[in-house]
Amino acid sequence: MMNIMIYEDNRECIGNLQGILREYFEERSIMFSMFITKLGAFCDFDSGNNTDMVFIDIDGEEGDAINFARRIRQNNKNAIIFLLTDKLQIIPEMMKVGIFQVILKPIDADLVYDELDRAVQLYADIYSIYDISWCGVNHLLNYKDIFYIEAYNRHLYIVTGEDSYMSMGSIHKEKERFGGRSFARCHCGFLVNMQYITECGSNYVKMSNGKEIPISRQYRDEFMNSFTKYLKTLNSFLKFPCEGES
């Protein structure tokens, strides 16, 4: 269930957005709940703890919207925040809070659909569960916690920041299973999570745990294209520190 919060400053604008969101999620059979309130109003969802996707509509005081977005980000690092505005001057300050995307008014339904596609994929990356079965024991991992998968002699070694797990399978099938997420194949024996790449050379990547993984000639172009696309997406969701954080 995806929890959507809309903070409205213009009822007509939000009525239009509400219709677009409902149509989008119902067409894709995605379960969702939607709650709408006035910008700055106090309610149970104000902290953002239970909210997956947030839409902040700005027509009035810009400072209220910035402080409100900052409050949500401080309480929920993973909230996907959209800004609805025609006030271009507010965008730099809102980017510091870590918004996902700006939607300019008047709202274009096709553009909103495109951005929702990206947002839903990001949501899946954050919360999807990866099930590993080995010797009668099942391990449930978040996709986002997996650093890389290595294939060797019909076995898969799934490495996280804390542990490593073994399973039977092939990199080819795992790539299909991970399709659309932040994983890319850089070698016949490796599938890497691009979130944890700290260094990328012409023939290797270094992961945040220090592991160097080769980029083979066969997969170089495919991997570099995937990594470039990933970086472009990442730049729209940078999590800048909020005031008071170090």
Side-chain angles (χ1 to χ4, degrees):
M1 170 77 74
M2 182 176 291
N3 296 313
I4 301 170
M5 193 67 172
I6 301 175
Y7 296 98
E8 58 106 346
D9 217 9
N10 182 310
R11 185 167 295 278
E12 181 180 350
C13 171
I14 292 307
N16 185 21
L17 175 65
Q18 186 179 10
I20 293 170
L21 294 176
R22 189 174 301 281
E23 184 177 273
Y24 177 90
F25 288 105
E26 289 179 351
E27 281 180 358
R28 288 156 180 77
S29 300
I30 299 174
M31 295 182 64
F32 70 98
S33 65
M34 193 183 311
F35 189 86
I36 303 173
T37 188
K38 292 290 291 182
L39 181 64
F42 290 97
C43 64
D44 292 339
F45 295 90
D46 267 355
S47 68
N49 286 328
N50 301 314
T51 307
D52 302 307
M53 194 175 294
V54 181
F55 293 83
I56 300 177
D57 172 42
I58 300 174
D59 253 9
E61 292 296 324
E62 299 167 11
D64 292 343
I66 293 170
N67 290 332
F68 199 65
R70 184 176 291 119
R71 179 179 176 183
I72 293 171
R73 177 60 72 219
Q74 286 173 334
N75 285 281
N76 186 342
K77 300 295 185 184
N78 291 321
I80 301 171
I81 303 176
F82 286 87
L83 170 66
L84 283 67
T85 188
D86 55 7
K87 300 176 182 293
L88 300 183
Q89 68 273 16
I90 196 177
I91 294 176
E93 280 301 312
M94 290 296 282
M95 291 301 294
K96 293 178 182 178
V97 180
I99 63 169
F100 177 75
Q101 187 57 281
V102 177
I103 298 175
L104 295 178
K105 299 179 184 179
I107 295 174
D108 183 309
D110 290 336
L111 291 177
V112 174
Y113 264 52
D114 289 343
E115 296 306 325
L116 285 173
D117 284 341
R118 291 199 309 119
V120 168
Q121 185 57 65
L122 178 60
Y123 175 86
D125 286 347
I126 294 171
Y127 295 109
S128 291
I129 298 298
Y130 181 75
D131 182 14
I132 304 167
S133 179
W134 179 253
C135 296
V137 178
N138 279 27
H139 298 279
L140 301 179
L141 308 176
N142 282 336
Y143 279 91
K144 66 182 179 65
D145 294 331
I146 299 171
F147 281 39
Y148 62 88
I149 297 177
E150 181 178 0
Y152 180 74
N153 195 24
R154 296 186 180 181
H155 289 78
L156 296 174
Y157 298 90
I158 298 95
V159 179
T160 69
E162 302 292 332
D163 257 312
S164 62
Y165 305 84
M166 188 163 61
S167 181
M168 297 292 290
S170 70
I171 284 289
H172 177 72
K173 289 184 178 179
E174 293 309 292
K175 183 185 176 184
E176 293 179 353
R177 183 177 176 182
F178 280 67
R181 294 184 172 85
S182 56
F183 288 79
R185 191 173 186 179
C186 62
H187 186 277
C188 62
F190 286 94
L191 190 66
V192 299
N193 188 342
M194 294 179 284
Q195 295 181 54
Y196 296 106
I197 293 176
T198 58
E199 188 176 316
C200 181
S202 60
N203 61 358
Y204 75 95
V205 292
K206 180 179 284 188
M207 310 303 289
S208 58
N209 64 352
K211 172 77 171 179
E212 283 196 11
I213 295 174
I215 301 174
S216 68
R217 184 179 302 175
Q218 178 182 357
Y219 291 99
R220 182 177 298 145
D221 289 345
E222 176 187 336
F223 172 76
M224 289 302 183
N225 287 336
S226 297
F227 191 47
T228 300
K229 183 178 179 180
Y230 167 75
L231 291 176
K232 288 181 179 177
T233 301
L234 180 66
N235 285 335
S236 70
F237 196 62
L238 287 174
K239 293 182 176 67
F240 293 87
C242 303
E243 284 187 359
E245 294 183 350
S246 56

